């Protein structure tokens, strides 16, 4: 979705959603801590989704300090220091840099940096480190650790240091760097649009000038095999004999590859929302074409059946959405709350895709459709798409979209020519009734060098039991992929979840106990084990009862009672997953703050109890 990556727009392998419930947990916790003076950061009990710690993103993984993982500085060591930026709720997030070989076949050659972060456990019965990967490829683990501290149950957080890293090419690690022009540049392609295809080919041809020379060299080494080798060096630097790991989405590919390369160094692997075990990106595109259609249809059916869905009064959901797509195509763009930005047809599609990753985001999708249809206001769609694309509050973008394309292509040995690439994109689009123009705009790996080290697949013979989790309604990694992953790994056990959305552990309550038992005690669920999140699911709560509504109500009350704080709306909250951008106005030392909180106690208690 830069000038080059936009040509690859489409779901592809995806990261765990960061626009859904976990972000709201961070916001609510941050507000509650501000309102109580910041002295209480306790989480929920072991059966809940909270942990004892919440923290804000680190901006640096550099530093010098006491080495807790090795006796000497240099390759393979970790020197932990406080991260440069931490939240008042949890100032104990630590950062370090792990040096690894650029080319693992030349361990004495050039090295690159891997950014690492951890929340050290305060429990007495520490087992070791629990390492996370949030997916992507291209998702930042260092940033995700803030979500992890909010969703990991206390029982696990008390036994493990929580650790995450930015894989090579990503985020604060030695990173891929290309000219990113994402805003207003999400490409759609209608069937038979030869001129549009030629423009996409021209963008692909510009890769050499869009990216730095160092990036083009690094890109040859960013595949999953090398990331797995880095992960093993991280395990060693952490001092763990065996790896304990939770990988979401693409992180399941990384975990499975690690198990194949290092089966004797596995302690426990949770592969949540598994990617199909294949090195053929086209196979993944075909699966996602059907997966996202199914997810949108499930969303529409749930909305049409629930009187609390905001679209109840305007007509069948898919018909309203179809009319909205037609309207924005005719007018070209919708205005947003930001006078310098507009919503384009491609960005509307990106917002829809982003919203399907979690049932927690379904109400925002319904609200976005309602507001856009009624007022031609694209603000909510813009924010939802921004989260998926990696747009920050300051208007810059992370490099997740750039990294996504390069890492996928480093894993895939195929390099079809332009004509074959178009045929494959048309084939994928033909499977989708609802996202065909998005899928048709993929130029695959055109312009990217052939893979040096294509994905290594295998049964991981000799590895201890591996837990694979799949959701029945997952749009990005369809359930069939989890079945295929479990079949491909010799020691895997599949846990089936009847649920909507992408990924389960930390967001679906019925998954908590079996995963906790596996991580802590190595107890594997029985073959055929499952649970349901859909049986009692309430996808659309009454107006005013959602966490977002409760946050807005609290801020309105504080403002009505004398605090000089700006108005906030749903888009403001979704655009700022950490909550720090608008909670900075809450000053517990201000006497006026204490007075306003006294008047707004009911609103605060409602938020804390949500």
């Amino acid at each position: 979705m830069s000038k080059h990556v936009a040509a690859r727009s489409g779901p592809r392998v995806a990261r765990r959603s960061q626009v859904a419930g976990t972000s709201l947990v961070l916001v609510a916790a941050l507000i509650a801590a501000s309102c109580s003076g910041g002295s209480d950061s306790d989480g929920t009990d072991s059966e809940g989704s909270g942990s004892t710690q919440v923290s804000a993103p680190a901006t640096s993984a550099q530093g010098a300090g006491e080495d807790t993982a090795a006796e000497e500085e240099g390759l393979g060591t970790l020197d932990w220091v406080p991260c440069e930026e931490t939240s008042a709720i949890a100032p104990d997030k630590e950062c370090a840099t792990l040096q690894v070989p650029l080319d693992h076949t030349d361990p004495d050659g050039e090295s690159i940096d891997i950014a690492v972060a951890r929340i050290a456990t305060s429990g007495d019965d520490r087992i070791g480190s629990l390492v996370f990967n949030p997916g992507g490829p291209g998702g930042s683990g260092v940033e995700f650790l803030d979500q992890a501290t909010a969703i990991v149950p206390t029982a696990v957080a008390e036994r493990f240091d929580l650790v995450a890293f930015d894989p090579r090419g990503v985020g604060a690690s030695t990173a891929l760097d290309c000219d990113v022009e994402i805003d207003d540049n999400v490409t759609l392609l209608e069937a038979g649009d030869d001129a549009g295809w030629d423009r996409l080919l021209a963008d692909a041809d510009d890769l050499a000038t869009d990216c730095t020379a160092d990036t083009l060299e690094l890109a040859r080494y960013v595949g999953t095999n090398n990331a797995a080798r880095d992960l093993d060096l991280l395990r060693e630097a952490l001092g763990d004999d065996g790896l304990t790991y939770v990988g979401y989405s693409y992180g399941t590919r990384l975990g499975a590859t690690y198990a194949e390369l290092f089966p004797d160094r596995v302690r426990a692997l949770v592969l949540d929302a598994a990617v199909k075990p294949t090195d053929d990106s086209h196979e993944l595109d075909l699966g996602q074409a059907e997966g996202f259609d199914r997810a949108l249809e499930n969303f529409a059916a749930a909305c049409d059946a629930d009187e609390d869905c905001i679209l109840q009064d305007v007509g069948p959901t898919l018909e309203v959405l179809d009319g909205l797509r037609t309207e924005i195509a005719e007018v070209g763009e919708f205005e947003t709350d930001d006078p310098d930005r507009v919503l384009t047809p491609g960005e509307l599609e990106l917002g829809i895709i982003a919203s399907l990753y979690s049932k927690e985001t379904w109400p925002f999708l319904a609200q976005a459709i309602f507001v856009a249809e009624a007022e031609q206001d694209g603000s909510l769609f813009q924010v939802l798409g921004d989260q998926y694309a990696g747009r920050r509050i300051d208007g810059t973008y992370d490099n997740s979209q750039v990294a996504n394309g390069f890492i996928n292509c480093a894993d895939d040995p195929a390099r079809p020519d332009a004509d074959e690439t178009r045929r494959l994109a048309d084939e994928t689009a033909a499977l989708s009734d609802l996202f065909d123009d998005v899928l048709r705009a993929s130029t695959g790996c055109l312009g990217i060098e052939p893979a040096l080290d294509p994905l290594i697949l295998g049964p991981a013979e000799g590895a201890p039991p591996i837990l694979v989790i799949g959701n029945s309604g997952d749009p990005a990694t369809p359930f069939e992929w989890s079945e295929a992953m479990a079949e491909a790994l010799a020691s895997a056990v599949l846990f089936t979840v009847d649920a909507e959305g992408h990924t389960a552990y930390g967001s679906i309550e019925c998954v908590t106990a079996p995963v906790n038992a596996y991580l802590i005690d190595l107890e594997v669920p029985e073959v055929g084990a499952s649970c349901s999140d859909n049986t009692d699911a309430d996808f659309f709560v009454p107006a005013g009862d959602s966490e977002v509504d409760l946050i807005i109500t609290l801020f309105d009350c504080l403002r009505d009672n004398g605090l000089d704080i700006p108005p906030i709306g749903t888009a403001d909250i979704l655009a700022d997953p950490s909550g720090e951008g608008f909670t900075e106005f809450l000053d517990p030392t201000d006497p006026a703050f204490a007075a306003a909180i006294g008047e707004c106690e009911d609103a605060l208690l409602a938020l804390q109890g949500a």
Side-chain angles (χ1 to χ4, degrees):
M1 290 167 221
S2 65
K3 182 179 180 184
H4 181 70
V5 178
R8 294 175 174 78
S9 61
R12 304 302 295 266
V13 178
R15 57 181 168 181
R16 180 184 173 92
S17 172
Q18 298 188 32
V19 300
T22 51
S23 295
L24 299 183
V25 169
L26 294 176
V27 172
L30 193 57
I31 291 174
S34 297
C35 294
S36 63
S39 61
D40 184 4
S41 62
D42 286 344
T44 63
D45 62 25
S46 61
E47 294 304 314
S49 62
S51 80
T52 59
Q53 303 170 87
V54 180
S55 61
T59 58
S60 173
Q62 306 286 339
E66 182 179 356
D67 181 9
T68 62
E71 295 181 356
E72 299 179 357
E73 295 185 8
L75 203 68
T77 66
L78 291 170
D79 298 327
W80 296 106
V81 297
C83 299
E84 286 189 356
E85 291 188 5
T86 58
S87 166
I89 299 173
D92 50 354
K93 181 176 177 179
E94 298 174 293
C95 289
T97 299
L98 177 71
Q99 289 188 326
V100 301
L102 170 66
D103 181 353
H104 282 271
T105 66
D106 183 16
D108 297 323
E110 181 181 352
S111 65
I112 58 175
D113 292 341
I114 302 298
V116 187
R118 76 172 178 183
I119 300 287
T121 182
S122 59
D124 295 330
D125 297 321
R126 178 182 179 277
I127 294 173
S129 298
L130 174 57
V131 182
F132 292 88
N133 179 276
S140 167
V142 170
E143 293 185 2
F144 174 75
L145 189 60
D146 309 305
Q147 287 194 61
T149 59
I151 65 177
V152 171
T154 302
V156 171
E158 288 178 342
R159 305 299 299 277
F160 295 93
D161 296 339
L162 306 183
V163 177
F165 67 103
D166 287 356
R168 55 173 59 208
V170 175
S173 295
T174 301
L176 299 158
D177 181 18
C178 299
D179 182 24
V180 176
E181 299 288 348
I182 296 180
D183 196 30
D184 299 338
N185 197 29
V186 179
T187 306
L188 303 179
L189 188 68
E190 295 182 356
D193 184 358
D194 295 339
W197 178 252
D198 288 342
R199 287 191 294 272
L200 292 176
L201 293 181
D203 286 345
D205 288 341
D206 287 343
L207 179 62
T209 56
D210 288 345
C211 303
T212 66
D214 287 344
T215 287
L216 296 178
E217 176 63 16
L218 175 63
R220 303 167 69 227
Y221 297 96
V222 297
T224 300
N225 300 335
N226 280 326
R229 296 168 184 133
D230 297 342
L231 180 56
D232 192 55
L233 292 179
L234 175 59
R235 173 204 57 79
E236 183 177 9
L238 291 168
D240 291 340
D241 293 334
L243 176 67
T244 305
Y245 172 87
V246 173
Y248 295 103
S249 194
Y250 163 79
T252 67
R253 169 180 278 189
L254 177 58
T257 299
Y258 181 91
E260 171 63 15
L261 294 176
F262 309 104
D264 59 333
R265 301 174 194 174
V266 171
R267 178 184 175 274
L269 301 183
V270 176
L271 308 184
D272 187 348
V275 176
K276 186 177 182 179
T278 177
D279 62 8
D280 185 346
S281 295
H282 181 55
E283 284 190 42
L284 304 183
D285 292 341
L286 294 173
Q288 289 189 325
E290 297 177 317
F292 276 90
D293 269 24
R294 180 170 57 226
L296 184 54
E297 289 165 351
N298 289 351
F299 157 78
C303 182
D304 290 343
D306 192 329
E307 63 182 10
D308 291 325
C309 181
I310 195 172
L311 296 175
Q312 278 279 309
D313 294 333
V314 295
T317 299
L318 288 181
E319 291 184 15
V320 176
L321 181 57
D322 185 58
L324 183 62
R325 285 167 156 168
T326 299
E327 182 177 4
I328 195 171
E330 291 175 350
V331 301
E333 60 192 38
F334 286 164
E335 293 183 355
T336 72
D337 288 342
D338 186 338
D340 297 324
R341 302 186 70 197
V342 295
L343 181 80
T344 66
E347 289 170 325
L348 183 144
E349 298 301 322
L350 197 64
I352 297 171
I353 289 168
S355 305
L356 295 176
Y357 276 74
S358 170
K359 67 179 186 203
E360 306 293 340
T361 325
W362 282 12
F364 305 132
L365 175 55
Q367 186 177 351
I369 294 172
F370 181 87
V371 173
E373 193 275 338
E375 303 174 16
Q376 292 72 52
D377 182 346
S379 300
L380 271 177
F381 273 120
Q382 186 94 74
V383 169
L384 292 166
D386 284 349
Q387 291 291 308
Y388 185 92
R391 184 182 172 97
R392 305 183 181 97
I393 292 295
D394 63 4
T396 62
Y397 289 84
D398 64 27
N399 81 327
S400 58
Q401 294 298 324
V402 172
N404 183 284
F406 277 117
I407 295 171
N408 276 327
C409 292
D411 285 349
D412 188 348
R415 288 297 183 272
D417 62 19
D419 289 343
E420 178 64 5
T421 297
R422 187 177 188 184
R423 187 193 70 77
L424 293 174
D426 285 342
E427 181 181 332
T428 302
L431 288 181
S432 173
D433 294 324
L434 301 172
F435 295 102
D436 53 326
D437 288 353
V438 177
L439 298 167
R440 195 177 289 110
S442 173
T443 55
C445 295
L446 289 176
I448 294 181
E449 290 292 319
L452 282 180
D453 188 16
L455 182 68
I456 294 175
L457 298 167
E461 294 284 357
I466 295 170
L467 179 57
V468 178
I469 304 173
N471 288 358
S472 60
D474 193 321
T477 56
F479 175 71
E480 295 80 8
W481 291 6
S482 290
E483 290 181 308
M485 178 71 84
E487 291 175 0
L489 296 173
S491 63
V493 173
L494 175 64
F495 189 88
T496 300
V497 188
D498 179 27
E500 303 300 329
H502 185 50
T503 77
Y505 185 55
S507 59
I508 295 177
E509 184 176 358
C510 69
V511 175
T512 302
V515 177
N516 286 3
Y518 173 66
L519 290 172
I520 296 171
D521 299 317
L522 302 180
E523 296 179 1
V524 183
E526 295 181 1
V527 174
S530 65
C531 71
S532 177
D533 183 60
N534 283 340
T535 302
D536 300 317
D538 185 4
F539 298 111
F540 303 92
V541 300
D545 288 355
S546 72
E547 283 188 336
V548 167
D549 290 335
L550 294 174
I551 291 169
I552 293 171
T553 297
L554 175 60
F555 268 71
D556 287 345
C557 181
L558 294 173
R559 189 168 47 257
D560 291 342
N561 282 278
L563 287 192
D564 184 18
I565 54 178
I568 63 168
T570 301
D572 299 303
I573 295 171
L574 295 182
D576 185 4
S578 73
E580 293 193 335
F582 49 88
T583 55
E584 65 179 352
F585 299 100
L586 305 180
D587 180 7
T589 65
D590 183 356
F593 177 87
I597 282 295
E599 295 297 325
C600 300
E601 183 177 2
D602 289 346
L604 177 60
L605 291 175
L607 176 60
Q608 291 175 321

